[in-house]
DNA sequence: GATAATAGTTGATGATGGAAACTATATTTG
DNA sequence: CAAATATAGTTTCCATCATCAACTATTATC
């Protein structure tokens, strides 16, 4: 086992903890939980996304997604709409409030990251982005660990 | 706002989702939840760690940690021991089973990562590790986002 | 048209984390 | 040294939230 791999794994895990539920504090995110925010991001990113698509993207059951969308709809971040092509399908769209919230939270986190990476040189920053991108794409292609 | 920062933020968040609760599946991890595993890792890494130290490391309350340790102790992954120096303090130690579990799970994830990073060159791997390390250290120094 | 398949919702249940009250021990103070 | 205060950890109550299985509504198949 390449020791670099073990170290990378451990670093990702610890990093993930910071950006997971424990690091994601209600205060900086309006009234959104992490999963609500993740779902909202998908809704904003993909036009007319369905319940099951959100579930596939976030690795949660359709039942779980349905309730997340309930909450988001109740708080006026998204709207449900029946698909005109298939009456069984529920298309989810962001409201103006939803779009704004995603932007605001994203900005807040970026600002935090900017402070964190303050002393780091520009070209190294590009390198970080490239590395993260490569890593994420590879993992996404591979799918969730089973 | 440097667009690299926004992209890095977004990548970390998505990556974190994979390695957070949603990607951490009971099947590959004995009977441990993510928080249980994270706590167990701390217990294995730091000799005679206390409840509050675990809480500080994982950003959860002492009440929460107490219950996580309850579960870990019940499943025989850790032991509680009263500190000889201060009777109020509870030192937590891993059992043999606990040590083995951490190793096994860590290996399982590393194996997954190895498959993911299969096609990547050795020197780029070192680069990835360095970047992740830099990022993690910077974030840890900064503390949790508030 | 009847049957099967599919998308989404709902009710019951279980896991789990936080706040506040509580216990036990240690430290400070008069 | 006894009382008051502080601290570490536990427990109780409660809120959140995800899953499973059953259900509804719609579409596809035969």
């Amino acid at each position: 086992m390449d020791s670099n791999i073990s170290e990378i794994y451990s670093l990702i895990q610890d990093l993930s903890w910071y950006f997971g539920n424990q690091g994601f504090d209600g205060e900086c995110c309006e009234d959104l939980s992490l999963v609500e925010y993740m779902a909202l991001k998908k809704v904003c990113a993909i036009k007319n996304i369905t319940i099951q698509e959100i579930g596939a993207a976030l690795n949660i059951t359709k039942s779980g997604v349905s309730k997340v969308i309930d909450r988001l709809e109740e708080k006026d971040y998204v709207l449900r709409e029946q698909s005109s092509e298939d009456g069984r399908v529920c298309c989810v769209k962001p409201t103006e409030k939803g779009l704004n919230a995603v932007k605001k939270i994203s900005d807040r986190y970026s600002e935090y990251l900017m402070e964190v990476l303050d002393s780091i040189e520009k070209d190294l920053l590009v390198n970080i982005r490239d590395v993260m991108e490569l890593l994420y794409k590879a993992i996404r292609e591979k799918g969730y660990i089973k």
Side-chain angles (χ1 to χ4, degrees), chain A:
Chain A
M1 178 84 57
D2 187 329
S3 80
N4 282 318
I5 299 263
S6 302
E7 285 173 40
I8 291 172
Y9 145 73
S10 188
L11 285 163
I12 294 179
Q13 189 124 61
D14 288 337
L15 200 61
S16 293
W17 193 256
Y18 267 86
F19 283 80
N21 270 305
Q22 290 318 312
F24 197 85
D25 213 340
E27 315 208 0
C28 67
C29 322
E30 321 279 317
D31 50 358
L32 294 171
S33 70
L34 180 56
V35 66
E36 284 163 14
Y37 173 59
M38 293 299 288
L40 181 55
K41 262 211 315 193
K42 296 291 174 197
V43 170
C44 290
I46 299 167
K47 206 172 155 71
N48 286 325
I49 196 168
T50 68
I51 298 287
Q52 312 230 36
E53 284 167 348
I54 296 171
L58 300 183
N59 201 32
I60 48 184
T61 63
K62 59 181 184 172
S63 157
V65 176
S66 181
K67 278 175 245 196
V68 170
I69 299 301
D70 278 351
R71 271 140 44 202
L72 285 173
E73 195 170 25
E74 205 158 298
K75 290 186 272 196
D76 198 31
Y77 289 105
V78 303
L79 289 172
R80 274 181 171 92
E81 209 167 89
Q82 196 179 36
S83 166
S84 54
E85 289 171 17
D86 184 336
R88 296 168 299 183
V89 172
C90 166
C91 297
V92 186
K93 298 165 189 266
T95 62
E96 198 62 30
K97 181 180 175 187
L99 289 165
N100 289 337
V102 165
K103 179 166 181 354
K104 184 174 168 191
I105 296 173
S106 168
D107 283 353
R108 176 75 195 82
Y109 267 87
S110 298
E111 197 185 309
Y112 167 81
L113 247 195
M114 197 149 67
E115 288 167 22
V116 163
L117 300 176
D118 188 37
S119 59
I120 292 178
E121 288 165 37
K122 270 276 189 294
D123 52 345
L124 185 49
L125 221 54
V126 175
N127 186 235
I128 292 181
R129 192 206 56 198
D130 291 346
V131 162
M132 297 294 300
E133 199 162 1
L134 182 151
L135 199 55
Y136 177 58
K137 278 189 180 159
I139 288 176
R140 197 166 77 175
E141 197 160 308
K142 180 80 180 166
Y144 284 95
I145 189 171
K146 286 294 180 305

